[in-house]
Amino acid sequence: MKRALITGINGMDGSHLADLLLTKGYEVYGMERRSSSKNRTNTGHLEGRVTFVNGDLTDQNSLVRVLRESDPDEVYNLGAQSFVGESWNTPEQTGDVTGMGCLRMLEAIREYGKDVKFYQASTSEMFGKMVENPANENTPFYPRSPYGVAKLYAHWMTKNYRESYDMFNVSGILFNHESERRGIEFVTRKITDGVAKIYLGYEDHIRLGNLDSRRDWGYSPDYVECMWLMLQQDKPEDFVIATGKSHSIRDFLDVAFNCVGIDDWSNYVVQDERYMRPAEIDVLCGDSTKAREILDWYPKTAFQEMVSRMVKKDVGLLSD
Ligand code: NAP
Ligand code: G4F
């Protein structure tokens, strides 16, 4: 039986990846930070099936201990300060967790000395102000946020350790992906939660920032599958994972409000300066031809279907 260690287990992707690996017969270890109140909203259903271990990406010794406790064949490094907007408020902490955290895990694995396959959660934020549209594995990077810069450091460290120490390290450069388990601070979930509240009569508007930026949005359960696929290859390589289609925030609002029978949302959305960013990425769009050809991976869930599932889930949660 293979053993996998997932950092960021309680996050959106961590919980979906654990679901997937359990169906494949893995023994799954999930790393979480110690805190006075555990946030297991996404992972409550995994208690008893996943072994939760305490560790922090800002603490080298804790990572060494976690590796000893889990003795993994595969490590998926999904832990991060992952909210782009917050990275301008806490650039140093973001660099520490999101950038240095990856280096600490690589060092811990190197010292551990056994053959461990390593997955790094890289991001389309590294393409930032895209110099080529759609972006592929050879497109130059141009990050536009402290988060994007921290992720780029982690990305290059992953590659550098692969080349320096012959480690099986891969980076998945994933474009935006969402699900019913998305954190409430991200625009998609903020919208579906807001739409549900308006539909049920709890609120009368949603406050948002830039409505014109465009993102290439996929569905998280589809995307975690390619993380696993990348570690099953003979040779460690990096892959771009995307749908190839971009939608604006306005498009997202159209579909989300439409799910509750509202065609014109203009009276329900207020633009608020507080949610504007110091530097914005106007558009992100990816070309995942390489993943299709080598991993036989393609996105299965359509944009409309994903938005509709998120709205339904939020209406259900608020109606309970
Ligand atoms: P998420 O829901 O924000 O989950 C991130 C997880 O990291 C949380 O469980 C958080 O734990 C944990 N974490 C934060 N600081 C930590 C620390 N110091 N030590 C250990 N763990 C820590 O993110 P996600 O959307 O699932 O994304 C998973 C990964 O993919 C992240 O690295 C993200 O940057 C990257 N990524 C995401 C997307 C996307 O569109 N979702 C696209 C590309 C790349 P707490 O619960 O304790 O806060
Ligand atoms: O949902 P967002 O916060 O996601 P963002 O910044 O694209 O980052 C996500 O995807 C990255 C991959 O490209 C990941 F690496 C990262 O970890 C994260 O998962 O914002 C999306 C867009 C932005 O243009 C933002 O300015 O929505 C715009 N927006 C407009 N109003 C808003 C809001 N974003 C948020 N969070 N909140 C708003 O009120």
Side-chain angles (χ1 to χ4, degrees):
M1 184 192 276
K2 278 196 195 170
R3 296 154 76 97
L5 170 66
I6 302 173
T7 75
I9 184 76
N10 294 327
M12 174 181 70
D13 286 359
S15 63
H16 286 302
L17 179 63
D19 288 341
L20 177 78
L21 296 182
L22 287 171
T23 66
K24 294 190 181 296
Y26 277 68
E27 191 172 335
V28 178
Y29 288 77
M31 191 181 97
E32 63 182 0
R33 293 185 282 178
R34 200 213 72 80
S35 65
S36 48
S37 57
K38 298 266 177 244
N39 178 8
R40 295 216 182 132
T41 310
N42 290 336
T43 48
H45 67 290
L46 295 172
E47 286 173 20
R49 296 197 294 145
V50 161
T51 306
F52 289 89
V53 285
N54 280 333
D56 195 309
L57 286 164
T58 61
D59 187 305
Q60 182 72 44
N61 286 335
S62 75
L63 302 182
V64 172
R65 257 196 317 277
V66 161
L67 284 178
R68 272 200 227 111
E69 278 172 60
S70 55
D71 188 26
D73 300 290
E74 298 172 2
V75 171
Y76 296 86
N77 186 36
L78 310 187
Q81 191 301 94
S82 75
F83 185 29
V84 174
E86 172 60 17
S87 73
W88 278 280
N89 299 327
T90 56
E92 194 178 328
Q93 193 251 357
T94 301
D96 197 12
V97 180
T98 306
M100 289 294 290
C102 170
L103 171 61
R104 290 190 190 99
M105 183 57 94
L106 289 167
E107 265 300 294
I109 293 173
R110 191 168 78 83
E111 288 293 325
Y112 190 57
K114 296 193 182 170
D115 279 343
V116 176
K117 293 185 170 182
F118 176 79
Y119 175 88
Q120 169 58 18
S122 285
T123 166
S124 46
E125 272 284 312
M126 302 185 315
F127 293 124
K129 198 178 164 93
M130 294 214 314
V131 300
E132 184 182 22
N133 184 353
N136 62 37
E137 291 78 5
N138 300 315
T139 301
F141 299 116
Y142 191 150
R144 289 271 281 174
S145 63
Y147 166 82
V149 175
K151 279 285 184 183
L152 192 50
Y153 173 82
H155 178 79
W156 279 110
M157 274 300 172
T158 302
K159 190 177 168 78
N160 180 263
Y161 271 48
R162 175 164 82 210
E163 294 173 357
S164 303
Y165 303 117
D166 198 23
M167 290 167 76
F168 194 109
N169 296 341
V170 306
S171 280
I173 309 176
L174 273 51
F175 280 65
N176 294 52
H177 48 280
E178 318 293 317
S179 88
E180 300 88 324
R181 299 183 192 167
R182 187 54 141 154
I184 201 84
E185 65 274 37
F186 299 94
V187 76
T188 54
R189 182 76 196 289
K190 186 172 170 183
I191 292 172
T192 60
D193 172 70
V195 165
K197 284 178 177 149
I198 290 167
Y199 173 65
L200 295 169
Y202 299 150
E203 305 269 357
D204 58 10
H205 70 277
I206 313 173
R207 304 188 85 82
L208 295 173
N210 181 9
L211 303 183
D212 296 312
S213 54
R214 302 181 71 85
R215 292 291 181 270
D216 180 332
W217 276 301
Y219 191 49
S220 173
D222 293 348
Y223 280 38
V224 296
E225 196 188 351
C226 68
M227 299 177 182
W228 174 76
L229 281 170
M230 283 178 218
L231 291 194
Q232 311 317 308
Q233 303 306 300
D234 294 334
K235 174 169 121 202
E237 284 185 74
D238 302 335
F239 289 89
V240 160
I241 302 296
T243 70
K245 292 183 192 132
S246 80
H247 297 272
S248 67
I249 314 295
R250 289 177 196 281
D251 297 335
F252 196 102
L253 285 162
D254 284 343
V255 179
F257 273 101
N258 203 265
C259 291
V260 296
I262 297 173
D263 292 331
D264 177 5
W265 45 261
S266 53
N267 290 330
Y268 297 106
V269 173
V270 175
Q271 276 199 281
D272 187 330
E273 277 296 317
R274 282 179 302 163
Y275 299 109
M276 300 290 190
R277 295 178 176 178
E280 180 60 280
I281 295 176
D282 297 329
V283 60
L284 284 176
C285 190
D287 171 3
S288 55
T289 304
K290 181 180 172 188
R292 199 167 57 244
E293 287 176 352
I294 297 180
L295 306 176
D296 192 24
W297 179 88
Y298 54 92
K300 297 181 184 70
T301 311
F303 176 68
Q304 282 79 1
E305 172 64 21
M306 177 185 78
V307 180
S308 149
R309 284 187 200 175
M310 290 175 71
V311 171
K312 263 196 206 119
K313 178 75 180 185
D314 277 323
V315 170
L317 283 175
L318 291 163
S319 308
D320 285 345

